[in-house]
Amino acid sequence: MDNPLFTIDPGLFIWSIIIFLLVLLILKRYAWTPLLDFIDEREKEISDSLAMAESAKADLEKIKDESEKILDEAKKQGKVIVGDSKQKAEQSANNILNKAQEKSNEFLVDAKSKIDLEKKRAIKEIKEEVVELSLDLASQVLQRNVKDDDNNKFIQSSLKAVKTDEAKS
Amino acid sequence: MLIDKTDTSHSKDPADVAIDHVANSYDHILLHLPSFGVFDFSITKHVFLLILVGFITVSSMVFLVQRYISSRTKVPGKTMNFIEMIILYIRENVLKSFIGEKHYKDWDALVYTIFFFVLIGNFLGLIPIFDLLGFINYLAGGIPVVKDLIHGGNTVTANINLNFALATITFCAFTIAGIKKYGFFHHWKNLAPAGLAWPLYFIVVPIEVMAMLIRPISLTLRLAGNMMGGHLALIIFTQIFIIEIAKNYGIFAALGGSIFSVSLSIGVILLEIIVAFIQAYVFALLTAVYIGMAVNVDH
């Protein structure tokens, strides 16, 4: 072929093959293999991360469900505890009230018996005072001292009279 | 596309100037090396260009990839992002689709290298570096090495010898792929479909052999024709067009015509950028398709 555009040039052909193969070997060793490994690794990382994210999402859902269950359980237990405490508090309040009531009753009974006792003693003292006054009065009326026997007789009869009065009253 | 003062080609026909521009030339050898029969290993301008394309391809790719891999952030820059996009696109839409998931990893490096080698070869032809050298040579009044460099073509992928070498590598690749998968004899048996009536084999086998042999030739001529066509169009619009107008209608008419020719040339260059990408992709795609046809005979 005379046309320079289509001249067969075996030298250039061999040069082309040598240079291209050299380029291919260098690029395969230092560019394509490291780059493709890097891309594969990155894709694996991405897919792993996605899988991890999926499992984390599932775990999160699970944890959410569990926490809801725990929360419900806690609410129920709380209600039970509050109910129990309320009951116990009511019970102990009732106990305290009852005890207080009992104690006040005891105080009342005690006070009553003490009052009765004091009353009786006072009455007795008054009676004795009355007897003595009566005796003094009688001595002054009779202008003499009543003998001891008389005294005693009088006292006895007076006491009887008082007792009968008391019994009557 | 300036012509130096010492060059005699300006006295030639403009068409010869255009052809000189895209063809290899042994008239201006950069470095004389021994010849073995028809194999002249001297460094011509196209061999120099080829070495330059190889050097740019290797240095740029290795630099970008190594910087990306060793970076702490593992975030690609704009250029690396673009390269990675191409790599992933080819892997998903070409390698996996045509060669298949099982075998594509054996041939991915070849397909990527063909794509980037052809792409950089095509693009280097679009950058008027040798025209700048020509301008420097013109101003300096002729520098020996520079004077030799500006002769011949400046798009190495427009040269059929380089393209045929790449196509030969593709041919070897799909033959090796087939033999590796099916064994030597079975691979050649795959050329003709099984189950035909035996007389038909006398027709089918020669057709299939021709189809197989025509593949590297079609790869060669497709790339060479596309790259050459664009450059010839550029030369016609910027040189021949202006020269003819100047010859017939004078220098002022040529100046007026240059406005038209420059705008047309810009359009052609933009088209050539697209063609550069498409042709690199087509070469890589067809390599993958042929390898795929050799390893997936059942499909």
Side-chain angles (χ1 to χ4, degrees):
Chain A
M1 281 188 226
D2 288 337
N3 191 334
L5 296 177
F6 295 101
T7 311
I8 303 296
D9 185 347
L12 183 59
F13 176 79
I14 299 294
W15 268 119
S16 303
I17 287 185
I18 293 168
I19 291 167
F20 181 79
L21 288 180
L22 268 174
V23 170
L24 173 64
L25 287 175
I26 298 170
L27 286 184
K28 188 180 164 70
R29 173 84 177 78
Y30 295 105
W32 307 139
T33 309
L35 179 65
L36 293 169
D37 286 349
F38 180 78
I39 290 171
D40 284 347
E41 203 178 303
R42 193 185 57 192
E43 279 177 355
K44 198 176 165 286
E45 261 176 35
I46 291 168
S47 62
D48 285 354
S49 305
L50 282 174
M52 267 171 70
E54 279 296 314
S55 73
K57 206 178 159 188
D59 285 352
L60 198 71
E61 285 291 317
K62 218 172 151 184
I63 289 166
K64 210 176 157 187
D65 288 348
E66 276 177 15
S67 65
E68 271 174 11
K69 272 183 195 168
I70 290 167
L71 208 67
D72 287 347
E73 195 68 27
K75 273 182 187 169
K76 276 179 195 167
Q77 278 187 2
K79 272 182 187 171
V80 170
I81 290 166
V82 168
D84 283 356
S85 319
K86 214 173 167 182
Q87 210 178 352
K88 277 180 186 171
E90 273 173 8
Q91 223 168 16
S92 57
N94 284 339
N95 286 344
I96 291 163
L97 268 174
N98 289 339
K99 274 182 186 172
Q101 196 73 42
E102 276 171 18
K103 261 199 173 164
S104 67
N105 286 342
E106 275 173 20
F107 275 128
L108 215 60
V109 170
D110 200 34
K112 263 186 181 172
S113 63
K114 274 181 182 171
I115 289 164
D116 281 348
L117 214 65
E118 286 297 315
K119 193 180 162 188
K120 277 176 184 172
R121 203 172 71 193
I123 290 167
K124 197 181 169 187
E125 277 175 6
I126 289 166
K127 277 177 183 171
E128 281 172 359
E129 200 73 24
V130 167
V131 169
E132 266 179 36
L133 276 173
S134 308
L135 281 174
D136 281 345
L137 206 64
S139 308
Q140 278 175 9
V141 172
L142 290 172
Q143 291 292 331
R144 65 163 180 108
N145 235 357
V146 185
K147 288 176 185 172
D148 282 346
D149 288 346
D150 296 331
N151 259 355
N152 284 337
K153 278 178 188 170
F154 183 72
I155 287 166
Q156 291 300 324
S157 65
S158 298
L159 278 172
K160 272 181 188 171
V162 170
K163 276 179 186 171
T164 22
D165 285 346
E166 245 178 65
K168 278 178 186 171
S169 66
Chain B
M1 287 147 206
L2 287 159
I3 301 158
D4 70 283
K5 285 171 183 171
T6 54
D7 191 6
T8 53
S9 61
H10 62 277
S11 59
K12 290 183 193 168
D13 187 71
D16 291 334
V17 177
I19 287 172
D20 264 355
H21 192 84
V22 289
N24 194 13
S25 167
Y26 276 89
D27 297 333
H28 304 277
I29 290 171
L30 291 169
L31 181 67
H32 285 278
L33 289 174
S35 300
F36 301 94
V38 289
F39 297 99
D40 185 353
F41 290 106
S42 297
I43 308 289
T44 60
K45 185 172 172 198
H46 273 194
V47 177
F48 172 77
L49 271 168
L50 195 61
I51 295 168
L52 192 65
V53 169
F55 176 76
I56 293 171
T57 312
V58 166
S59 54
S60 57
M61 290 298 151
V62 171
F63 171 72
L64 286 167
V65 169
Q66 292 296 332
R67 192 181 63 172
Y68 173 39
I69 289 170
S70 55
S71 69
R72 213 179 294 169
T73 52
K74 309 285 182 206
V75 177
K78 277 181 188 168
T79 318
M80 192 58 227
N81 205 11
F82 182 65
I83 290 169
E84 199 184 309
M85 189 190 81
I86 292 171
I87 296 269
L88 291 177
Y89 180 83
I90 291 177
R91 187 177 75 173
E92 297 303 319
N93 298 292
V94 176
L95 293 165
K96 285 185 182 175
S97 300
F98 293 106
I99 304 178
E101 290 272 355
K102 206 176 163 188
H103 299 288
Y104 86 89
K105 281 192 176 173
D106 295 336
W107 303 102
D108 57 354
L110 176 74
V111 175
Y112 293 140
T113 310
I114 284 178
F115 178 79
F116 284 102
F117 191 82
V118 174
L119 185 72
I120 290 172
N122 293 349
F123 265 109
L124 201 68
L126 284 176
I127 305 164
I129 41 174
F130 295 100
D131 302 294
L132 185 68
L133 281 176
F135 185 62
I136 293 165
N137 186 50
Y138 178 78
L139 293 177
I143 306 164
V145 181
V146 176
K147 197 182 84 178
D148 289 332
L149 266 174
I150 59 167
H151 286 279
N154 60 3
T155 306
V156 78
T157 41
N159 190 306
I160 58 157
N161 292 286
L162 164 75
N163 297 351
F164 190 64
L166 292 180
T168 306
I169 289 167
T170 297
F171 179 83
C172 294
F174 68 72
T175 307
I176 292 167
I179 291 171
K180 206 173 152 189
K181 172 89 187 281
Y182 296 103
F184 187 79
F185 292 108
H186 198 260
H187 167 68
W188 297 114
K189 263 175 76 182
N190 284 338
L191 277 177
L196 286 178
W198 68 267
L200 281 176
Y201 282 107
F202 290 106
I203 305 165
V204 171
V205 170
I207 290 171
E208 289 293 336
V209 170
M210 269 172 65
M212 187 186 70
L213 293 175
I214 226 130
R215 283 174 193 168
I217 297 167
S218 73
L219 278 175
T220 304
L221 294 180
R222 185 184 297 107
L223 181 58
N226 274 289
M227 297 324 292
M228 203 186 284
H231 283 265
L232 284 175
L234 270 177
I235 292 162
I236 289 164
F237 292 142
T238 53
Q239 279 197 343
I240 299 174
F241 184 71
I242 303 293
I243 290 167
E244 289 301 318
I245 291 178
K247 264 187 193 171
N248 296 317
Y249 305 103
I251 190 77
F252 290 107
L255 279 172
S258 66
I259 297 166
F260 173 71
S261 76
V262 167
S263 46
L264 210 59
S265 302
I266 291 168
V268 172
I269 286 177
L270 293 174
L271 190 71
E272 277 296 286
I273 292 171
I274 301 167
V275 172
F277 260 103
I278 291 172
Q279 288 311 313
Y281 178 68
V282 166
F283 208 112
L285 174 80
L286 287 175
T287 302
V289 168
Y290 295 151
I291 293 170
M293 282 165 79
V295 294
N296 303 314
V297 177
D298 322 326
H299 298 291

